[in-house]
Every structure is written in structure tokens, then in C-alpha cells.
């Protein structure tokens, strides 16, 4: 089983390239189901999840240039070419969907393109039950009939799949990135207007909408919680550049803060970091936008304890909660973290405590009392961002930290150890 071994104590300095965003690339790959023309994505990250979704799309009839996927080259996939001249199967099987929950995003596009879909329910994961009721609620509002059969969502457009989805007014009771993306894609080919209220505003949702508009979709309200989509008869092909990964950039910004270092996050966009910028500034790490990326410098000998509550964008991202917690473990004073998005996103806490952190968790709230020093230890994480937080803690801990089960990490970070060692970290992959 591969592991990552970190020797703490190095101050990170230099330039780190930020890859294309995993959470933008995944929905962007699915747009190939909406058009019979070729779709080309540039700046696509080379991640395990991209490979899994490629297999799902291949099952639907997508020809996909998978030449470099999963090669772990660290250099990204310069170009990902996809072409779905026709949908050969509307079934997304459990064995693939259960590996990568975002596969549920094929549901809306399959319905929009063919009138039918049979997509396995994704099931939960380590951080929560991950329901898809909001995806289904929206599709039903658009006229789809939905049945749950043997663990699959079996869906048809009106007249048993012979007619198109209908535009509808959709009020989200809570913000959902995936449900917004699924329903925006479905609405682009629906009959009439779809209006969404309380829609997700994440940069990855905006990037998806920009790509769809370049395919001929009619969407307005980008970057707001009120999206209006007027359905069209067909979408044409596109070449689209995936935005840079704000969560990877945020992870490296915390790496600068925790090691007292100074980094340039190449291709990073400060405004995509949302509330992280203010939290880092309060803790003593300053981020500024340069032409080439984000400049991050740690101005304080030790971070200041800063409270954090996760919220939908532009609030503090839940995907950066574990990372900022690592920084807070060595802060002066206390930090109170509140995770409002997922119900079980503190699996990194017991592992950080094993490294000497002083943390108490009560439901959604974690109280982190800063300690002078962390100590290296063998640690394990059960989800992607928890794994990243353990590496960050290892960068500052005294001694050696061994992070096990790193296949989680490879789902969302392109060769993180190569990028960190290039700016001074003593870190390597073993096994
Ligand atoms: C996306 O997941 C991201 N994944 C997640 O990143 C991210 O944490 C999350 O958005 C929140 O920003 C991708 O984009 C591939 P949601 P998603 O639907 O779409 C509840 C990472 O580490 N909900 O916005 O699944 C849900 O349980 C991953 O890169 C319903 O109740 O998230 C959660 O509490 C982790 N019903 C909240 O909404 C639904 O139908 C937000 O979920 C859908 C969601």
C-alpha cells in the first residue's frame, strides 16, 4: 500500500503550479453527453476520478482520448478529447458510480439527450450520506418520472421518454453544487424556461455554465443564486479550458502558512479562494494576486487562532476545513471550527490528536486549542481532504509522519508530493 512520508521542519519557498480543478473537470466532462459534436477540455487534471468518470462515459458511448489519464504524470492532461456521436446505453452501473459519486451528474444529460436514464444511486461516503433528493426533485419538477428500482434511479421524460423535459421553477431548500449542475445541464435542452432559486454559486458551477453557453446554451445569472436557462434544440461542440483548482490552491496557501514560508501559486485566482483569504489574513498569512498567480506569505512566527464556519460559496469552503484545522493546531490561542455542510467531516481529528493536537469535537463544532509543537506519527485518513490535512500537519511536525492509504489523495491532488518537494518539503511517496 503506497504511503507518503514527510519529515517536518522545512520552510516552503518557491512556485507551485496549480492544476485544473477536479470539481470543474468532472461536470465539464459530462457535457459530452449533451451534444453529438466533439468536446475538448484543456488544463484537465490527471486524477483517478477523471479516469473513473471516463469509464462511465465510455459505457454510454463516449469515445474518449484516455491516453494520459491515470498516468500520474503530474503534468496534467494537456488535452482531453471526447466525442459522443450517439448514446449507446443509458445505464450507469453501480460498480462505477459507487467509486465516484459525481457520476450521478450523467442523470440530467441522459434524460435531456435520450429521454431515459438508469443511474445507480451513488450511496454515501466517508464524509456523509450524500443524498441526491434535490437532483430528483428538480428533474420531477421538469416533468421526469422517477422510480427507485434495485438501487437505481430509473427516469423517463414525459410520454415514456418520447418528449422533452419541460422548463420549470426550481427552489432549492438548501444549496447543492451537484444538483445545480445536474439540473442546469438538463435545462439546456428542455422545452421553455427553467428558473433556479438558491442555486450554487461555486466557481466550478460558473465554469460549467460558461462552457454550456459556448456550446449554444442560453443561461443567465452566472455567479448568482438565481439562474435562468432557456432551452434550445441542440448544443454544438466546444473547446474549453478548465479553471484552476481553488481547493488545491487553498491547500498550498495553508502549506505556506503552516511552514512560515512564501509561495507563488501559479495560475491561482485569488477571488476563487473566497473566505479563505480573510481567514488566512486573520491568522497571519497574507495572499495577494499577481499576474502569474497568488502570492502567499506567512507574516507571523505562529498563526493566530481564527474561528471558521463552512458555508456555500462565497463562504468558507468545506473542502478546506480539514486543511485550516491543521494550521490552527499550532496557533496561538483557540480556534472554533463549525462544519455546516457535511455531517461527518472530522475524521482527520483523531489522527491530528495522535500527532499532539488538542482538539475537542461536539457534533458539527471542533474546538482547536493551539499547541507549541506537533510530533510526527503514522496516520491514516479516510477521505481526500483529511489526507491533505495530515500532510500539512506533517510539514510542521517534529520528526517523521507517514500518511497511509493515499489512494484518497490521488483522487483530488495531482502528484502532491512532487509539487511540495519542489518548494523545499522533505516528502516522498513510498510503495
Ligand atoms: C460538491 O459535492 C463537491 N464535489 C464536493 O467536493 C464539495 O464538498 C461539495 O460540492 C460542497 O461544496 C464535486 O464537485 C465533484 P452538494 P456535492 O450537493 O455536489 C446535501 C471534494 O473533496 N445534499 O453541494 O455532492 C449534501 O448531503 C468533494 O472535492 C442533499 O441534501 O455537494 C450536503 O450536506 C467532497 N440533497 C450538502 O447538500 C442533495 O440532493 C451540499 O452537498 C444533494 C446534496
Amino acid at each position: 500500500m503506497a504511503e507518503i512520508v514527510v519529515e517536518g521542519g522545512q520552510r516552503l519557498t518557491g512556485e507551485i503550479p496549480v492544476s485544473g480543478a477536479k470539481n470543474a473537470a468532472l461536470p465539464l466532462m459530462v457535457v459530452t453527453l449533451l451534444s453529438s459534436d466533439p468536446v475538448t477540455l484543456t488544463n484537465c487534471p490527471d486524477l483517478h476520478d477523471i479516469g473513473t468518470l471516463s469509464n462511465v462515459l465510455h459505457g454510454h458511448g463516449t469515445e474518449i482520448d484516455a491516453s494520459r489519464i491515470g498516468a500520474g504524470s503530474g503534468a496534467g492532461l494537456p488535452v482531453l478529447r471526447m466525442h459522443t456521436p450517439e448514446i449507446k446505453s443509458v445505464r450507469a452501473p453501480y460498480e462505477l458510480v459507487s467509486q465516484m459519486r459525481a457520476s450521478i451528474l450523467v442523470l440530467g444529460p441522459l434524460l435531456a439527450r435520450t429521454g431515459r436514464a438508469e443511474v445507480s444511486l451513488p450511496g454515501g461516503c466517508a464524509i456523509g450520506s450524500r443524498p441526491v433528493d434535490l437532483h430528483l426533485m428538480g428533474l420531477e419538477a421538469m416533468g421526469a418520472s422517477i422510480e427507485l428500482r434495485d438501487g437505481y434511479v430509473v427516469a423517463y421524460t414525459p410520454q415514456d421518454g418520447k418528449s422533452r423535459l419541460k422548463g420549470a421553477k426550481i427552489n432549492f431548500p438548501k444549496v447543492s453544487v451537484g444538483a445545480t449542475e445536474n439540473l442546469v445541464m438538463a435545462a439546456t435542452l428542455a422545452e421553455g424556461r427553467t428558473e433556479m432559486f438558491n442555486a450554487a454559486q461555486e466557481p466550478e458551477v460558473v465554469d460549467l455554465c460558461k462552457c454550456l453557453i459556448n456550446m449554444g446554451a442560453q443561461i443567465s445569472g452566472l455567479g448568482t443564486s438565481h439562474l435562468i436557462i432557456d432551452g434550445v434544440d441542440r448544443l454544438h461542440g466546444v473547446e474549453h479550458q478548465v479553471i484552476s483548482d481553488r481547493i488545491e490552491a487553498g491547500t498550498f496557501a495553508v502549506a505556506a502558512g503552516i511552514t512560515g514560508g512564501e509561495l507563488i501559486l501559479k495560475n491561482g485566482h485569488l477571488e476563487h479562494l473566497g473566505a479563505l483569504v480573510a481567514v488566512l489574513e486573520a491568522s497571519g498569512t497574507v495572499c495577494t494576486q499577481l499576474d502569474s498567480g497568488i502570492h502567499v506569505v506567512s507574516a507571523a512566527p505562529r498563526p493566530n487562532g481564527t474561528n471558521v464556519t463552512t458555508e456555500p460559496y462565497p463562504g468558507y469552503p468545506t473542502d478546506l476545513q480539514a486543511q485550516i484545522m491543521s494550521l490552527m493546531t499550532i496557533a496561538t490561542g483557540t480556534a472554533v471550527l463549525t462544519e455546516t455542510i457535511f455531517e461527518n467531516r472530522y475524521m482527520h481529528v483523531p489522527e491530528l490528536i495522535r500527532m499532539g493536537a488538542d482538539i475537542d469535537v461536539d457534533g458539527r463544532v471542533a474546538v482547536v486549542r493551539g499547541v507549541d509543537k506537533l510530533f510526527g506519527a503514522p496516520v491514516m485518513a479516510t477521505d481526500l481532504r483529511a489526507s491533505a490535512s495530515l500532510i500539512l500537519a506533517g510539514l510542521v511536525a517534529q520528526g517523521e509522519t507517514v500518511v497511509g492509504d493515499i489512494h484518497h489523495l490521488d483522487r483530488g491532488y495531482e502528484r502532491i508530493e512532487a509539487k511540495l518537494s519542489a518548494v523545499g518539503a522533505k516528502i516522498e511517496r513510498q510503495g
Side-chain angles (χ1 to χ4, degrees):
M1 182 88 74
E3 301 171 326
I4 283 189
V5 181
V6 193
E7 183 68 34
Q10 308 305 314
R11 180 171 177 273
L12 303 191
T13 56
E15 184 174 284
I16 294 191
V18 179
S19 300
K22 166 178 85 82
N23 291 348
L26 292 171
L28 284 167
M29 287 173 70
V30 177
V31 307
T32 184
L33 299 180
L34 291 168
S35 171
S36 55
D37 294 347
V39 169
T40 300
L41 297 182
T42 59
N43 192 40
C44 206
D46 181 7
L47 300 169
H48 187 271
D49 276 5
I50 301 290
T52 305
L53 187 56
S54 299
N55 295 335
V56 172
L57 294 172
H58 183 70
H60 295 310
T62 303
E63 297 145 19
I64 195 159
D65 163 13
S67 52
R68 298 269 314 287
I69 290 174
S73 62
L77 292 170
V79 174
L80 188 64
R81 289 190 178 81
M82 296 172 289
H83 188 200
T84 315
E86 58 172 326
I87 301 285
K88 292 206 174 103
S89 161
V90 295
R91 190 173 172 82
Y94 173 72
E95 53 272 15
L96 288 176
V97 175
S98 57
Q99 285 179 46
M100 214 274 296
R101 296 189 59 268
S103 309
I104 191 72
L105 292 174
V106 303
L107 180 58
L110 287 172
L111 276 180
R113 178 92 177 266
T114 71
R116 298 167 30 248
E118 282 177 35
V119 178
S120 169
L121 279 165
C125 71
I127 64 176
S129 59
R130 312 296 292 276
V132 292
D133 57 309
L134 300 179
H135 300 239
L136 305 184
M137 170 272 288
L139 289 170
E140 283 178 328
M142 296 171 78
S145 66
I146 307 262
E147 253 185 84
L148 299 185
R149 208 186 294 162
D150 310 326
Y152 280 73
V153 175
V154 178
Y156 291 89
T157 53
Q159 275 79 47
D160 272 348
K162 294 184 185 57
S163 69
R164 293 162 65 182
L165 291 169
K166 304 279 181 285
K169 283 189 189 309
I170 299 171
N171 268 297
F172 289 107
K174 68 178 351 179
V175 174
S176 164
V177 171
T180 301
E181 294 169 339
N182 220 335
L183 296 169
V184 163
M185 288 192 279
T188 58
L189 294 177
E191 217 166 272
R193 169 168 286 191
T194 297
E195 278 199 85
M196 294 183 191
F197 302 91
N198 200 25
Q201 306 173 60
E202 274 67 4
E204 294 77 24
V205 176
V206 173
D207 201 33
L208 172 67
C209 290
K210 284 180 179 170
C211 178
L212 291 167
I213 289 167
N214 288 337
M215 295 172 74
Q218 292 180 15
I219 307 173
S220 62
L222 271 61
T224 76
S225 60
H226 180 204
L227 292 175
I228 297 176
I229 303 106
D230 289 313
V232 296
D233 292 338
R234 71 178 298 276
L235 295 179
H236 53 72
V238 69
E239 175 162 325
H240 182 86
Q241 180 176 311
V242 179
I243 53 168
S244 68
D245 193 319
R246 62 190 170 101
I247 305 303
E248 186 191 25
T251 304
F252 293 140
V254 173
I258 206 167
T259 61
E262 181 171 5
L263 294 173
I264 301 239
L265 309 180
K266 198 161 172 299
N267 311 319
H269 299 293
L270 194 65
E271 76 278 7
H272 289 175
L273 293 185
L276 172 70
V277 178
V279 168
L280 280 177
E281 197 148 324
S283 75
T285 294
V286 179
C287 302
T288 43
Q289 184 72 58
L290 305 176
D291 290 345
S292 61
I294 301 170
H295 177 253
V296 188
V297 60
S298 164
R302 266 180 71 179
N304 311 313
T306 309
N307 296 341
V308 175
T309 297
T310 64
E311 293 170 320
Y313 191 87
Y316 189 90
T318 175
D319 292 350
L320 286 169
Q321 177 259 106
Q323 295 91 320
I324 203 75
M325 183 183 284
S326 292
L327 181 66
M328 292 301 133
T329 62
I330 56 161
T332 54
T334 297
V336 177
L337 275 63
T338 307
E339 171 58 59
T340 69
I341 308 292
F342 291 110
E343 65 265 33
N344 187 32
R345 205 165 195 178
Y346 285 135
M347 269 88 59
H348 42 291
V349 170
E351 301 303 295
L352 291 171
I353 289 171
R354 293 180 59 244
M355 297 176 72
D358 178 358
I359 307 169
D360 284 317
V361 171
D362 179 5
R364 298 285 187 118
V365 177
V367 178
V368 184
R369 293 175 197 80
V371 295
D372 294 340
K373 189 183 290 237
L374 294 180
F375 297 90
V379 291
M380 186 79 79
T382 52
D383 76 272
L384 162 58
R385 308 301 176 182
S387 303
S389 79
L390 298 176
I391 286 182
L392 292 171
L395 290 172
V396 72
Q398 179 177 303
E400 181 177 273
T401 299
V402 181
V403 181
D405 215 2
I406 57 169
H407 73 275
H408 296 291
L409 212 55
D410 293 338
R411 293 189 51 181
Y413 293 92
E414 204 174 31
R415 298 290 310 273
I416 193 169
E417 77 281 0
K419 294 187 175 185
L420 288 172
S421 59
V423 289
K426 281 189 179 170
I427 180 172
E428 61 177 12
R429 179 182 291 252
Q430 292 181 2

